[in-house]
Amino acid sequence: MRHLGFSRKNITRTAVASLLLSPLLLAGCGSTAQKTVSVAKSRPIAVKETPLVNEVTPEHKLVEAKKVWSDMQNKALRDSLLLEAAQLYMLQQKPIMAQQILYEVKQDGVSPENQSFYALLMAKVYANQSDVSAEELLSLLEPVSGNKDLLIEKAHLQAQLFAKDGNYSAAANSLLNTDLPDEQKVEQVWKWITSMPVSSLDDIAQQYSALSPFVSLRKLTEEYSSSPEKLAENLNNFQKVYAGHSLGATFPDDVLNATKLQRANINAITVLLPLSGRLATTGSTVKNGIMAAYYQSIADKQGNEVGQDQRNLPTLHFIDTVDKDVNDIIAEIGDAKFIIGPLLKSNVERIIPALPVGVNVLALNRSDDITQIETPFNTSASNSQQLILNDVQYSNNAQYGDKGKRGDDNTLESAQSSANGPIAANFFALAPEDEAKQLAELIFNKGFRAPIVITEQSSLYERMDDTFKSHWESLNKAEGKYKTNITSVTFNDSNSLREGITSALDVAQSNERINQIEYMTNDEVYNMPRSRRDIDAIIAFASPQDTELLNPIIEASLNPLGGKPIPVYATSRSMDYESGKNQWRDLKNIHFIDMPWMMPQHQWKPLAQTVEQAFDGQNTMQKRLFAFGYDAFELLPKLGILNTLNYLHHNGLTGALSLNENGEVERKQPTAIIRNEKVESISE
């Protein structure tokens, strides 16, 4: 432990330090004492960080320690007083003084009676230093034992260090052994438990039995998330079973709110889309997805409730938002309480503030600043205009037709209302920035720290590049690193692409060095250019066509001799599934994220066959827009529970969908790789 060695040259000497170092106070363990006086009872070790009465100072403890050593030659008692002095310096925010005392105690040999107290203070004084690993300090704490107060302090510190190390299950287990109030324990442990993947819960409960009630509660909310009544009933039973447990008496706030959810009937859904003009194909494709989900819900009801009619389904009313002002749209919406859309960002910002209180909206876009959208809970608005899919237009205008218009007296049961009132607005967008953010988290969590980012010069890919770098910086800062190691390459044609890649990989410089050697020796040098070895990943933000070009250039530029292959990552914006088989050859070994709906193996095969028959010839973006509309319809009745329990998610065609505290849908997409000219799903 380099940082725990107490380099004395870096410690400022003071009068207190001089007192500490006096021969009378710290006589070496090997020296012969004039007289040894044993004491019948050792001094109790105080570890609680509470103000001491009579304003006892570290200097008082040092003087007392000197007197004890001078009068009694009792090393254990002296060390106890010295450690108390160090603890007081820590309370005074003087870690250097505390380190000095701990260093001197260590140099003289820590008495057995004080080993635990010493180790605890050592871990504490270095706990907030970024250059000392949590693993080192946790190993130091491992042998700490002793009285109740000492063990409580150990548990506090272990919880802090385990959390710093990202081991949240161990942190939660340690936190339960502290003396915090039950409310604080439950709040923090529940936060950690709900941040973990569902697949890890059984292992956590098996490893830490104290966390089993929290795991059971999490699994219960997952199981009954689609039925508010059953969820409330089972939560009440849970409280009875765990009545004597802190979790039974102190429910997490979000779960308590979930017990108050009520089922609301959705009799009609109004959908706001651009269904004419230049965005007609875009709007119609989203509409097709909504209608497909509608008919699928009919099929599901028929399969699950044989003999019943379809009066539990809503009517659908589509409004074309093109060339209509807000007043016209609001008038056409009428008294509708459930709305999907609008699609354009400008319409989101101008229509939602005009809606009356009590209307539930799932907007198909979002503002750059959600807080600036005027809702019943906000008071300002912004004015920007942008279609989240970059105003892409399509030629295929196939659709299901006009079935499902308003008129049928149908209803749909839904867990829509929250404990605090109706949801004013949620925001669901296929934002390219979200994919860049997910990609940053993906490669960061895999341990990569020195990527090359290759970006095509266009507004779309430059936005993704900006988001990636911003999020990459925040991820590094969370680890205490304020300097990110990113190499950037931008290009606008094939020549600048090749030059940028070879320069970033240091291949051009390697060629120059070879040429210089040949010139100096007048002989041919038998060698090959070598690429840099300090980079560990390559990220591409480029169109499908340019990604096909850059991947072979990267492959040709990397050093093949003894070097580890450098993975190349991309987003769905670099994938076009209609380009033919040759593209997969050029994209071999590229990792990318995309919708589950676009993966070769997914759970909606019957639906995919039906869609293929109904919409033969859908291009890649149309398939994504279709999935977008499908998920929007399925999300609407689940917004209440997803807003209340933010850790829950809906497995949709577009990804695993959850809601953040701003009411935005967060979308996690699976990862795939190109192997043997095919797309293969992988777990990363």
Side-chain angles (χ1 to χ4, degrees):
M1 273 193 198
R2 179 176 62 84
H3 298 285
L4 305 188
F6 300 114
S7 178
R8 295 176 63 178
K9 65 182 180 180
N10 294 325
I11 299 177
T12 303
R13 300 293 183 177
T14 66
V16 175
S18 299
L19 175 62
L20 173 64
L21 294 172
S22 71
L24 290 176
L25 182 56
L26 285 182
C29 288
S31 62
T32 303
Q34 296 291 329
K35 182 179 180 181
T36 302
V37 179
S38 60
V39 291
K41 187 176 182 180
S42 63
R43 181 184 182 87
I45 298 173
V47 297
K48 292 291 290 180
E49 294 189 357
T50 54
L52 300 181
V53 295
N54 300 326
E55 297 184 359
V56 176
T57 67
E59 291 77 13
H60 290 148
K61 293 293 181 181
L62 292 174
V63 171
E64 190 178 353
K66 180 178 180 180
K67 189 173 188 306
V68 163
W69 182 250
S70 176
D71 294 347
M72 305 170 58
Q73 296 290 297
N74 188 321
K75 185 177 188 303
L77 185 54
R78 182 203 66 185
D79 287 355
S80 176
L81 289 164
L82 292 174
L83 294 177
E84 288 178 11
Q87 184 182 40
L88 288 170
Y89 275 128
M90 291 166 62
L91 289 173
Q92 293 180 355
Q93 305 298 316
K94 296 179 180 179
I96 297 298
M97 296 303 301
Q99 291 171 15
Q100 175 65 35
I101 294 176
L102 293 172
Y103 172 79
E104 298 298 342
V105 171
K106 177 185 177 183
Q107 289 295 96
D108 194 48
V110 184
S111 54
E113 300 92 330
N114 291 289
Q115 285 286 352
S116 289
F117 193 22
Y118 167 81
L120 179 68
L121 293 179
M122 278 280 287
K124 273 190 174 185
V125 80
Y126 286 98
N128 294 319
Q129 294 194 9
S130 59
D131 53 356
V132 181
S133 72
E135 184 179 358
E136 286 180 301
L137 299 176
L138 285 166
S139 65
L140 192 65
L141 282 174
E142 191 61 34
V144 172
S145 61
N147 59 38
K148 180 181 178 181
D149 287 341
L150 196 67
L151 293 177
I152 287 175
E153 290 299 315
K154 175 184 177 180
H156 274 290
L157 195 53
Q158 282 179 320
Q160 175 187 344
L161 294 171
F162 278 127
K164 179 181 178 182
D165 205 35
N167 189 348
Y168 297 116
S169 55
N173 186 65
S174 295
L175 193 70
L176 292 177
N177 294 319
T178 67
D179 58 350
L180 289 174
D182 285 347
E183 292 82 358
Q184 292 185 33
K185 288 182 183 179
V186 168
E187 180 183 4
Q188 184 58 67
V189 171
W190 184 243
K191 181 179 180 181
W192 282 330
I193 289 294
T194 54
S195 71
M196 301 170 192
V198 176
S199 58
S200 68
L201 295 179
D202 289 336
D203 291 338
I204 291 171
Q206 185 174 0
Q207 185 175 4
Y208 303 108
S209 59
L211 298 179
S212 293
F214 293 90
V215 169
S216 297
L217 181 60
R218 165 82 185 275
K219 293 170 73 173
L220 188 152
T221 58
E222 297 274 357
E223 182 178 358
Y224 295 103
S225 61
S226 61
S227 174
E229 292 88 354
K230 290 183 179 179
L231 178 60
E233 179 183 349
N234 281 274
L235 288 175
N236 288 331
N237 292 335
F238 180 92
Q239 284 183 297
K240 294 176 182 178
V241 172
Y242 290 96
H245 190 275
S246 59
L247 186 57
T250 309
F251 248 24
D253 289 341
D254 57 351
V255 179
L256 188 61
N257 288 336
T259 65
K260 302 174 184 178
L261 285 173
Q262 298 177 356
R263 186 178 295 270
N265 291 327
I266 302 181
N267 298 316
I269 299 174
T270 297
V271 185
L272 309 178
L273 291 170
L275 298 174
S276 61
R278 65 188 184 91
L279 296 175
T281 305
T282 299
S284 295
T285 306
V286 175
K287 176 183 176 181
N288 294 340
I290 293 172
M291 295 301 301
Y294 177 83
Y295 290 129
Q296 185 62 46
S297 66
I298 293 176
D300 291 342
K301 290 295 180 182
Q302 289 176 335
N304 295 331
E305 302 174 17
V306 178
Q308 295 189 17
D309 59 25
Q310 299 165 13
R311 286 182 296 177
N312 54 352
L313 288 170
T315 58
L316 294 177
H317 175 48
F318 290 88
I319 297 177
D320 185 359
T321 58
V322 175
D323 295 332
K324 291 180 181 177
D325 62 27
V326 173
N327 292 333
D328 290 338
I329 294 174
I330 296 299
E332 197 166 349
I333 289 174
D335 59 356
K337 297 299 183 184
F338 297 93
I339 296 174
I340 296 176
L343 182 65
L344 291 176
K345 183 174 291 188
S346 58
N347 282 340
V348 170
E349 294 172 341
R350 69 191 183 103
I351 293 174
I352 290 180
L355 294 171
V357 175
V359 174
N360 299 273
V361 181
L362 177 60
L364 299 180
N365 210 318
R366 66 176 184 237
S367 171
D368 292 327
D369 186 356
I370 295 295
T371 62
Q372 295 302 307
I373 294 184
E374 188 177 320
T375 70
F377 309 115
N378 297 314
T379 57
S380 59
S382 60
N383 297 304
S384 60
Q385 180 174 354
Q386 180 184 0
L387 178 63
I388 202 67
L389 295 163
N390 291 330
D391 297 346
V392 179
Q393 298 186 57
Y394 309 103
S395 58
N396 188 338
N397 197 29
Q399 52 184 292
Y400 275 109
D402 292 327
K403 296 180 181 179
K405 286 186 178 180
R406 183 188 295 264
D408 296 331
D409 184 20
N410 297 334
T411 62
L412 174 64
E413 292 182 334
S414 163
Q416 178 57 38
S417 62
S418 72
N420 296 322
I423 300 167
N426 291 109
F427 305 89
F428 183 22
L430 299 184
E433 291 88 348
D434 293 348
E435 294 195 33
K437 183 176 179 180
Q438 182 184 341
L439 199 58
E441 292 176 355
L442 173 65
I443 68 169
F444 188 87
N445 292 335
K446 290 181 70 66
F448 299 130
R449 294 295 182 271
I452 292 179
V453 181
I454 303 173
T455 306
E456 181 179 337
Q457 291 179 354
S458 77
S459 60
L460 169 65
Y461 300 111
E462 286 171 350
R463 278 161 41 209
M464 298 176 76
D465 175 77
D466 290 342
T467 301
F468 178 92
K469 290 174 179 174
S470 174
H471 196 57
W472 187 260
E473 183 178 353
S474 66
L475 292 170
N476 277 272
K477 283 183 178 179
E479 282 194 347
K481 300 173 183 175
Y482 293 89
K483 184 177 180 181
T484 57
N485 189 8
I486 289 183
T487 302
S488 296
V489 174
T490 59
F491 69 93
N492 55 18
D493 56 30
S494 58
N495 290 331
S496 61
L497 173 62
R498 184 178 299 276
E499 291 173 1
I501 292 175
T502 56
S503 176
L505 292 172
D506 205 22
V507 175
Q509 293 87 334
S510 179
N511 267 319
E512 290 180 4
R513 290 191 291 270
I514 292 172
N515 293 335
Q516 288 176 357
I517 293 173
E518 287 180 340
Y519 177 79
M520 293 171 64
T521 61
N522 204 24
D523 291 322
E524 183 178 358
V525 177
Y526 294 94
N527 206 330
M528 65 173 61
R530 295 179 180 272
S531 60
R532 290 168 53 185
R533 296 194 178 188
D534 60 325
I535 58 172
D536 50 19
I538 297 174
I539 293 86
F541 296 122
S543 67
Q545 296 75 21
D546 284 327
T547 306
E548 290 180 46
L549 292 176
L550 69 84
N551 195 49
I553 296 174
I554 293 171
E555 191 174 56
S557 301
L558 293 175
N559 180 25
L561 300 177
K564 281 182 71 174
I566 300 176
V568 180
Y569 286 85
T571 69
S572 70
R573 304 294 171 137
S574 295
M575 297 295 136
D576 183 356
Y577 295 82
E578 315 304 319
S579 294
K581 191 174 181 179
N582 287 341
Q583 72 161 341
W584 304 128
R585 179 193 62 208
D586 293 333
L587 295 174
K588 68 178 182 179
N589 297 325
I590 280 192
H591 301 69
F592 67 98
I593 56 175
D594 207 342
M595 295 179 180
W597 180 245
M598 306 302 294
M599 296 292 154
Q601 299 296 326
H602 59 66
Q603 66 190 61
W604 303 279
K605 290 299 181 183
L607 174 64
Q609 293 174 359
T610 302
V611 172
E612 186 66 28
Q613 294 172 359
F615 307 113
D616 184 32
Q618 272 191 338
N619 62 33
T620 297
M621 188 56 76
Q622 285 176 310
K623 291 177 180 178
R624 294 190 178 118
L625 285 168
F626 174 90
F628 184 43
Y630 191 99
D631 280 355
F633 181 87
E634 292 218 315
L635 267 181
L636 187 65
K638 299 181 178 181
L639 294 178
I641 191 69
L642 293 178
N643 271 286
T644 307
L645 302 177
N646 293 127
Y647 58 87
L648 295 179
H649 66 270
H650 168 70
N651 289 319
L653 275 62
T654 60
L657 310 176
S658 60
L659 287 171
N660 63 23
E661 60 186 8
N662 293 322
E664 298 170 291
V665 176
E666 294 188 344
R667 187 167 59 99
K668 297 297 182 184
Q669 301 181 100
T671 309
I673 190 172
I674 311 299
R675 287 196 184 115
N676 301 319
E677 301 184 11
K678 294 181 180 178
V679 176
E680 294 183 13
S681 299
I682 57 176
S683 298
E684 288 194 319

